Amino acid sequence: MATQTDSDAALRIASGRKAFVEPLRLGERLKEIRLSNHWTLEDVSQRTGLARSTLSKIENDQISPTFSAVQKLIGGLGIDLPQLLTPPKPQSHTLGRRDLTRVGEGQQHPTPTYEHELLSWQLAQKRMIPFKTIVRARSFDEFQEWVRHDGEEFLMVLDGDILLYTEFYEPLRLTHGDSIYFDSDMGHALVSVSESDAVVLSVCTRGENA
Amino acid sequence: MATQTDSDAALRIASGRKAFVEPLRLGERLKEIRLSNHWTLEDVSQRTGLARSTLSKIENDQISPTFSAVQKLIGGLGIDLPQLLTPPKPQSHTLGRRDLTRVGEGQQHPTPTYEHELLSWQLAQKRMIPFKTIVRARSFDEFQEWVRHDGEEFLMVLDGDILLYTEFYEPLRLTHGDSIYFDSDMGHALVSVSESDAVVLSVCTRGENA
DNA sequence: AAATAAAGTTTCCGTTAGGATACCACAGCC
DNA sequence: GGCTGTGGTATCCTAACGGAAACTTTATTT
């Protein structure tokens, strides 16, 4: 990709910056790790081979350490880089409690047929979407059209019994504990056939790469 | 942790270097990424804001880039650090058979701590791996080492209570119906704290981008 | 309270990263 | 052959990092 017009190049540049990396308060994170281990600057100095003064400056964001310095840090402290890069609080995991419906986090999407509840948020960077669905539909006729979306879907019945209608296969009866994995661009629809509404867990893949 | 003898300090240093970080041919890896995208140094320069010359020197291991430079690189190239640090690694499309105890990159966990059951087979083309796990471990001490694999993992407790130990966070207690989504290259381990063995459903992502 | 010690910061300076530019290699074109 | 353009490298110079030591601050001891 060498020969292109300027505008084209500019466009490429703009769209290329998909993953923006915030300034990242490295020092803060580092200090956190140090203190949580009850280490002094001297301790860290011994472990890493970096000078006390240098460490101090790094922690206070007065300098941007060399990559080799960073390597000494992760080597000496026995930590991983992802860890070091993980912003202080925004966790690399999201927790979904069974009874806890967080406002604005575990988002809900009620429809006449389904009621979805996301089990994870901060999904921007994630590759799967897990959610719990209450199946309200009692008959296949309630659907105007197939449900269909790119990617793949794993599904497990948590509660009740359902019929899984698919575009190309016979309806499949699934009960508590049963699971299935299918291409979700094949039309599909769930119907509850139990006394109460059925509950299923779904995990879908997200759009290709990005 | 401040006052100690020299020998004590030496000991601490030695044992502290648990995670030794090899020299790491950063330049090589970087060049690989650049070429695989058919980018020229100029392209990368535009994307990252770093000078052509600088990039050349980094690729040839003539300089050790500043951490801020590294940030520009991962930001501009739209990659993340683990990716950059991962040795060339010939994109392994492993997981040949449905081995019932195979997880991820050919790593087996026939341990007394877990018992896996794959919930889907013919996984070769799929992007997720769903399996049900019986957690036998009753204490964290039973683990020799963290469980760790590339990608992300979604987990829901189907039965019993567990403690999720993670490398970077406090142990987390999860009970029936709770779920969590986390980066699975962060060390993790499950321990059952209920009467009987706990059962969890896991869905992991498979090899990067692909 | 003074004295001592240790943790952390700032100062000074040699070394090095990073940018601008010049240079080399190699292609395609007149 | 020269001419022109592009990808990559080497050179120079400024800005910045990293280390030793001086300095400040806080804690501990007498």
Side-chain angles (χ1 to χ4, degrees):
Chain A
M1 297 312 154
T3 316
Q4 336 198 210
T5 70
D6 278 349
S7 60
D8 193 349
L11 233 158
R12 226 181 49 238
I13 295 165
S15 65
R17 299 193 179 279
K18 47 174 76 167
F20 178 68
V21 178
E22 71 282 17
L24 184 60
R25 288 237 160 289
L26 184 73
E28 187 181 331
R29 182 85 189 96
L30 216 40
K31 185 166 193 171
E32 225 179 75
I33 295 176
R34 179 172 65 84
L35 294 181
S36 74
N37 286 78
H38 302 103
W39 288 330
T40 68
L41 285 182
E42 181 58 29
D43 291 328
V44 176
S45 171
Q46 304 245 356
R47 285 168 168 272
T48 59
L50 295 169
R52 272 205 332 271
S53 54
T54 304
L55 293 171
S56 169
K57 282 180 271 191
I58 292 176
E59 283 192 354
N60 296 330
D61 289 314
Q62 293 176 17
I63 63 175
S64 166
T66 294
F67 190 70
S68 78
V70 174
Q71 288 187 71
K72 288 178 187 169
L73 279 170
I74 63 181
L77 299 184
I79 58 177
D80 259 346
L81 239 158
Q83 181 177 182
L84 207 158
L85 299 178
T86 305
K89 279 302 151 212
Q91 307 179 329
S92 67
H93 64 249
T94 56
L95 176 66
R97 289 295 185 187
R98 177 162 60 133
D99 314 320
L100 200 61
T101 306
R102 292 172 177 255
V103 181
E105 286 183 339
Q107 294 163 319
Q108 306 209 347
H109 300 277
T111 68
T113 47
Y114 292 150
E115 184 169 323
H116 298 300
E117 178 190 353
L118 277 177
L119 294 178
S120 176
W121 39 99
Q122 302 170 343
L123 283 167
Q125 308 297 346
K126 302 210 168 64
R127 301 180 53 204
M128 303 186 290
I129 306 176
F131 53 90
K132 200 166 68 177
T133 303
I134 301 174
V135 182
R136 296 219 184 287
R138 314 298 281 188
S139 152
F140 182 49
D141 301 329
E142 296 181 33
F143 291 90
Q144 318 295 327
E145 209 165 348
W146 288 113
V147 176
R148 190 193 303 275
H149 42 95
D150 279 347
E152 304 161 12
E153 179 166 350
F154 170 77
L155 183 155
M156 174 179 269
V157 179
L158 297 179
D159 213 7
D161 302 316
I162 62 165
L163 271 179
L164 169 64
Y165 289 87
T166 55
E167 198 170 6
F168 306 128
Y169 302 98
E170 290 299 305
L172 212 53
R173 187 188 174 101
L174 300 173
T175 76
H176 175 67
D178 290 343
S179 63
I180 187 170
Y181 196 123
F182 58 95
D183 291 336
S184 50
D185 51 3
M186 168 180 71
H188 54 286
L190 296 181
V191 171
S192 170
V193 292
S194 47
E195 305 267 336
S196 56
D197 295 336
V199 180
V200 306
L201 167 74
S202 300
V203 183
C204 299
T205 60
R206 286 190 63 239
E208 281 314 302
N209 59 40
Chain B
M1 285 295 171
T3 315
Q4 339 199 207
T5 70
D6 278 350
S7 61
D8 193 349
L11 232 160
R12 224 183 49 239
I13 294 165
S15 65
R17 298 194 179 280
K18 48 175 76 165
F20 177 67
V21 179
E22 72 280 20
L24 185 61
R25 290 213 129 350
L26 184 74
E28 187 183 333
R29 181 83 188 98
L30 215 40
K31 185 166 192 171
E32 226 179 73
I33 294 176
R34 178 172 67 83
L35 293 182
S36 74
N37 285 81
H38 302 102
W39 287 331
T40 68
L41 286 181
E42 181 59 29
D43 291 330
V44 176
S45 170
Q46 303 248 355
R47 284 168 170 271
T48 60
L50 295 169
R52 264 203 343 262
S53 55
T54 304
L55 293 171
S56 169
K57 282 180 269 190
I58 293 176
E59 283 193 354
N60 296 331
D61 288 313
Q62 293 177 16
I63 62 174
S64 166
T66 295
F67 189 70
S68 79
V70 174
Q71 288 187 69
K72 288 179 189 168
L73 278 171
I74 62 180
L77 300 184
I79 57 180
D80 54 8
L81 240 154
Q83 199 175 151
L84 203 154
L85 300 178
T86 304
K89 203 203 286 195
Q91 290 269 342
S92 44
H93 273 269
T94 51
L95 194 96
R97 300 171 300 278
R98 55 184 170 113
D99 204 337
L100 283 189
T101 53
R102 251 174 190 297
V103 173
E105 293 229 323
Q107 272 192 329
Q108 299 201 347
H109 296 270
T111 61
T113 48
Y114 292 150
E115 182 171 324
H116 298 300
E117 177 192 353
L118 279 177
L119 296 177
S120 175
W121 38 97
Q122 302 168 344
L123 281 166
Q125 310 298 344
K126 301 210 169 61
R127 300 179 55 200
M128 303 186 290
I129 307 174
F131 52 90
K132 198 165 68 176
T133 303
I134 300 174
V135 182
R136 296 219 185 287
R138 314 297 283 188
S139 153
F140 181 51
D141 300 329
E142 297 181 32
F143 292 89
Q144 317 295 329
E145 209 163 346
W146 289 114
V147 177
R148 191 193 303 276
H149 42 96
D150 280 347
E152 303 162 13
E153 178 166 348
F154 171 76
L155 183 155
M156 175 179 268
V157 179
L158 296 178
D159 212 7
D161 300 318
I162 62 164
L163 271 178
L164 169 64
Y165 289 87
T166 55
E167 197 170 9
F168 310 145
Y169 302 97
E170 291 297 305
L172 215 51
R173 188 193 175 97
L174 301 172
T175 75
H176 173 67
D178 290 342
S179 63
I180 189 170
Y181 194 123
F182 59 95
D183 292 334
S184 49
D185 53 2
M186 168 178 73
H188 54 285
L190 297 181
V191 170
S192 171
V193 291
S194 45
E195 305 267 337
S196 56
D197 294 336
V199 181
V200 305
L201 167 74
S202 301
V203 183
C204 298
T205 60
R206 289 193 61 240
E208 276 316 300
N209 60 38

